[in-house]
């Protein structure tokens, strides 16, 4: 069974793939501005506590369920009991929803990277001012780059676990890390950068105490999306792990690396904005407007183009290694089904089928031009306009609508139910402990994990669920 599903070739390869899934747009774009807007260092502190308690525990839960059952999200829950299959379907549904809008954004990142490359080669066609607004209303362009990004995903996932996902991640992730480091060092040498570090690192405890609930919900939401938890992605990646792997150790390494990259992106973006007098805007504006201006006008000249090219290349890598994991969640579902029926997995065909469905699901995100609407030149209106719904975050554009469904509802619900199943229904020792000890490693921290599965994760996820629903519908 294991052989025709595929398996990771090495521990390093698995870690690069799993960290690649975790490190994505969430780290490079979401973390810096959420941190800046929610108490700086105080946010970092709450975030770290959440990673250690909720993040590491949920990661361990997903990896252990995946490896124990040897199945992707749906198959894994079915193996535990047929009555839990629907939880796996929630994960695959989230996979489809996220990979669509994620690839639309990935396409825009690709366009920016090529823009800076064109600048470097002395070609015109990448105006600094107003490019983003014009680009999201340029439907043929948006669709073309959306399609190219999806094809890149298909090519990698088609290659299989060790021959596709692992092979790509093993080269791409160290490259991402090196480029990020170079930009951080360059930015650190610019006058005025210090303000950015202060903004990020000095804890505003007054802010924390008077806004504790807000900080907690933003940090918790960011944490589990950033760690790719709650939708069976790590169940799927865990299902390709060898029985000799130490699960507890891997459950520490992945969140640690993901958090390191999130902090590094903060130390790249915030000081860069500070040095060049830019506002720390949230939303797509930060990644596509503010940062473009930082490179073209702040740094300027050849160095600005080099740094800009490297920056969008590293964001592109981050986006690809995450979206392939999302597509793999969907693909593994079909492959598992075929294997159960004794058929050949036909990975190539299954990957293409799932990518085409995901592409169609994601289309409205591109077609409404991230909320540009028909009035602004897009080909489709946002959900509020289309269905005559009240205007709120979840209906303002298709990206937010999909984000609401997946990150707002399905994922926190998925993580909450999984931890309740582990802690209360199957028992931490039985379900997780036994699987951990298969590799002859002792189940270190058994008591701690048990408390987290039983109480901490369900409570925090319930808070996230309520908070997300109220903020998206607000
Ligand atoms: N962790 C990714 C990010 O931070 O951008 C997003 C993501 C990837 C979420 C894979 C969920 C997932 F299964």
């Amino acid at each position: 069974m294991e052989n025709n599903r595929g398996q990771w070739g090495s521990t390093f390869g698995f870690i690069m793939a799993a960290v690649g899934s975790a490190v994505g747009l969430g780290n490079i774009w979401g973390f810096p501005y959420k941190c800046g807007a929610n108490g700086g260092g105080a946010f970092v502190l709450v975030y770290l506590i959440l990673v250690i308690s909720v993040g590491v525990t949920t990661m361990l839960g997903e990896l252990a369920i995946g490896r124990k059952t040897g199945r992707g999200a749906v198959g894994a829950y079915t193996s535990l009991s047929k009555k839990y299959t629907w939880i796996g379907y929630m994960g695959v549904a989230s996979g489809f929803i996220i990979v669509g809008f994620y690839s639309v954004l990935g396409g825009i990142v690709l366009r920016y990277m090529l823009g800076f490359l064109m600048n470097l080669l002395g070609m015109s066609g990448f105006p600094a001012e107003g490019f983003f607004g014009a680009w999201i209303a340029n439907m043929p362009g948006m669709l073309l780059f959306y399609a190219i990004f999806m094809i890149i995903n298909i090519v990698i996932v088609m290659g299989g676990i060790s021959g596709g996902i692992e092979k790509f991640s093993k080269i791409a992730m160290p490259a991402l890390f090196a480029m990020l480091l170079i930009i951080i060092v360059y930015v650190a040498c610019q006058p005025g950068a210090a303000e950015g570090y202060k903004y990020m690192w000095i804890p505003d405890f007054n802010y924390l105490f008077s806004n504790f609930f807000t900080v907690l919900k933003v940090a918790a939401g960011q944490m589990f999306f950033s760690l790719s938890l709650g939708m069976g992605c790590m169940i799927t990646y865990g299902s390709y792990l060898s029985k000799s792997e130490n699960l507890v150790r891997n459950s520490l390494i992945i969140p640690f690396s993901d958090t390191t990259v999130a902090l590094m992106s903060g130390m790249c973006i915030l000081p860069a904005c500070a040095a060049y007098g830019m506002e720390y805007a949230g939303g797509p504006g930060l990644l596509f407007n503010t940062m473009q201006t930082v490179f073209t006008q702040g740094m300027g000249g050849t160095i600005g183009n080099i740094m800009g090219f490297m920056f969008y290349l590293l964001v592109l890598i981050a986006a690809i290694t995450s979206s392939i994991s999302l597509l793999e969640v969907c693909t593994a579902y079909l492959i598992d089904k075929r294997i159960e029926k004794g058929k050949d997995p036909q990975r190539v065909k299954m990957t293409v089928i799932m990518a085409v469905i995901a592409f169609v699901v994601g289309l409205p995100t591109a077609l409404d031009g991230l909320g540009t609407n028909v009035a602004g030149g897009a080909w489709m209106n946002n959900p509020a306009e289309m269905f005559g719904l009240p205007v709120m975050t979840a209906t303002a554009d298709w990206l937010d609508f999909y984000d609401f469904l997946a990150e707002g509802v399905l994922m926190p619900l998925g993580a909450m139910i999984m931890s309740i199943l582990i802690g209360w229904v199957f028992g931490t020792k039985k379900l997780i402990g036994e699987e951990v000890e298969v590799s002859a490693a002792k189940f270190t921290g058994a008591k701690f994990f048990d408390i987290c599965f039983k109480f901490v994760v369900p409570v925090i996820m319930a808070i996230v669920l309520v908070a997300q629903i109220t903020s998206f519908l607000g």
Side-chain angles (χ1 to χ4, degrees):
M1 174 200 72
E2 237 155 37
N3 288 342
N4 57 2
R5 280 189 90 248
Q7 206 175 34
W8 302 110
S10 66
T11 307
F12 176 72
F14 159 69
I15 288 174
M16 287 301 106
V19 173
S21 167
V23 170
L25 297 173
N27 300 57
I28 293 173
W29 167 19
F31 184 86
Y33 82 81
K34 287 182 189 164
C35 166
N38 290 281
F43 177 89
V44 174
L45 190 68
V46 173
Y47 187 86
L48 292 178
I49 295 172
L50 286 168
V51 168
I52 294 165
S53 52
V54 181
V56 171
T57 307
T58 317
M59 181 67 69
L60 176 65
E62 290 207 13
L63 290 179
I65 290 179
R67 192 178 72 175
K68 181 183 174 70
T69 58
R71 295 276 190 287
V74 173
Y77 279 106
T78 312
S79 300
L80 293 182
S81 164
K82 277 220 164 58
K83 58 180 187 223
Y84 300 130
T85 306
W86 58 277
I87 309 168
Y89 279 118
M90 276 181 11
V92 174
S94 305
F96 275 123
I97 293 172
I98 305 177
V99 77
F101 74 72
Y102 215 84
S103 299
V104 171
L105 295 169
I108 306 178
V109 174
L110 176 62
R111 175 65 186 86
Y112 271 65
M113 185 209 76
L114 289 177
F116 277 101
L117 185 63
M118 281 156 67
N119 282 356
L120 272 175
L121 299 175
M123 294 151 74
S124 60
F126 190 48
E129 286 294 337
F131 181 77
F132 182 58
W135 180 255
I136 53 178
N138 169 357
M139 289 296 107
M142 283 282 280
L143 288 175
L144 176 68
F145 279 81
Y146 175 33
I148 298 175
F149 188 88
M150 195 60 97
I151 291 169
I152 297 175
N153 278 291
I154 296 177
V155 170
I156 299 171
V157 174
M158 222 158 73
I161 301 309
S162 59
I165 297 176
E166 179 174 351
K167 205 166 164 187
F168 180 76
S169 310
K170 265 193 327 201
I171 301 168
M173 290 311 289
L176 176 155
F177 193 81
M179 288 188 286
L180 189 53
L181 211 55
I182 294 173
I183 305 179
I184 289 176
V185 172
Y186 180 80
V187 168
C189 301
Q190 307 309 307
E195 274 311 308
Y197 302 121
K198 278 193 210 150
Y199 188 67
M200 179 171 162
W201 285 110
I202 298 193
D204 184 346
F205 285 109
N206 280 334
Y207 183 91
L208 179 63
F209 295 137
S210 41
N211 298 281
F212 182 72
F213 189 70
T214 311
V215 176
L216 182 71
K217 72 177 195 201
V218 176
Q222 168 67 22
M223 180 273 307
F224 85 94
F225 184 78
S226 182
L227 289 175
S228 305
L229 297 171
M231 50 157 286
C233 180
M234 292 298 164
I235 294 184
T236 309
Y237 273 21
S239 74
Y240 306 121
L241 265 179
S242 116
K243 292 284 184 194
S244 60
E245 284 291 339
N246 183 323
L247 292 181
V248 176
R249 198 189 56 197
N250 285 326
S251 305
L252 289 166
I253 295 177
I254 302 164
F256 175 81
S257 315
D258 181 68
T259 307
T260 306
V261 176
L263 293 171
M264 285 172 71
S265 339
M267 297 211 297
C268 160
I269 291 179
L270 297 177
C273 290
Y276 301 109
M278 307 293 299
E279 284 279 333
Y280 308 121
L286 175 67
L287 191 59
F288 297 119
N289 274 332
T290 312
M291 289 312 283
Q292 189 194 11
T293 314
V294 161
F295 295 117
T296 50
Q297 293 172 20
M299 295 181 186
T302 309
I303 188 75
N305 285 329
I306 294 175
M307 290 292 156
F309 170 70
M310 270 203 310
F311 177 77
Y312 287 103
L313 177 59
L314 80 84
V315 180
L316 181 68
I317 290 175
I320 293 174
T321 50
S322 296
S323 58
I324 52 179
S325 72
L326 291 156
L327 183 57
E328 178 58 26
V329 171
C330 304
T331 305
Y333 164 66
L334 285 187
I335 290 183
D336 285 350
K337 277 240 165 280
R338 294 183 61 83
I339 292 176
E340 263 164 40
K341 292 185 189 147
K343 294 186 188 158
D344 183 62
Q346 293 201 328
R347 171 170 278 275
V348 174
K349 194 168 151 194
M350 298 308 120
T351 308
V352 175
I353 292 175
M354 288 319 221
V356 169
I357 300 176
F359 186 82
V360 173
V361 173
L363 265 181
T365 322
L367 292 180
D368 83 339
L370 305 186
T372 305
N373 284 349
V374 176
W379 288 353
M380 196 169 155
N381 279 326
N382 62 33
E385 288 268 345
M386 261 182 97
F387 305 116
L389 297 168
V391 179
M392 45 197 165
T393 311
T395 59
D397 51 67
W398 282 92
L399 187 145
D400 275 307
F401 174 71
Y402 282 144
D403 196 27
F404 163 64
L405 290 183
E407 197 186 340
V409 182
L410 294 173
M411 294 168 76
L413 203 59
M416 187 170 88
I417 298 171
M418 183 193 79
S419 65
I420 293 173
L421 284 183
I422 294 173
W424 298 99
V425 179
F426 291 98
T428 308
K429 210 160 176 281
K430 182 105 191 68
L431 188 57
I432 308 301
E434 280 179 10
E435 186 55 32
V436 166
E437 286 170 1
V438 167
S439 67
K442 217 178 133 334
F443 186 20
T444 344
K447 193 85 216 129
F448 167 78
F449 286 118
D450 191 41
I451 293 172
C452 289
F453 279 123
K454 279 196 173 118
F455 306 102
V456 185
V457 180
V459 169
I460 297 287
M461 283 303 133
I463 292 176
V464 173
L465 187 64
V466 174
Q468 300 270 45
I469 292 177
T470 42
S471 85
F472 271 105
L473 300 184

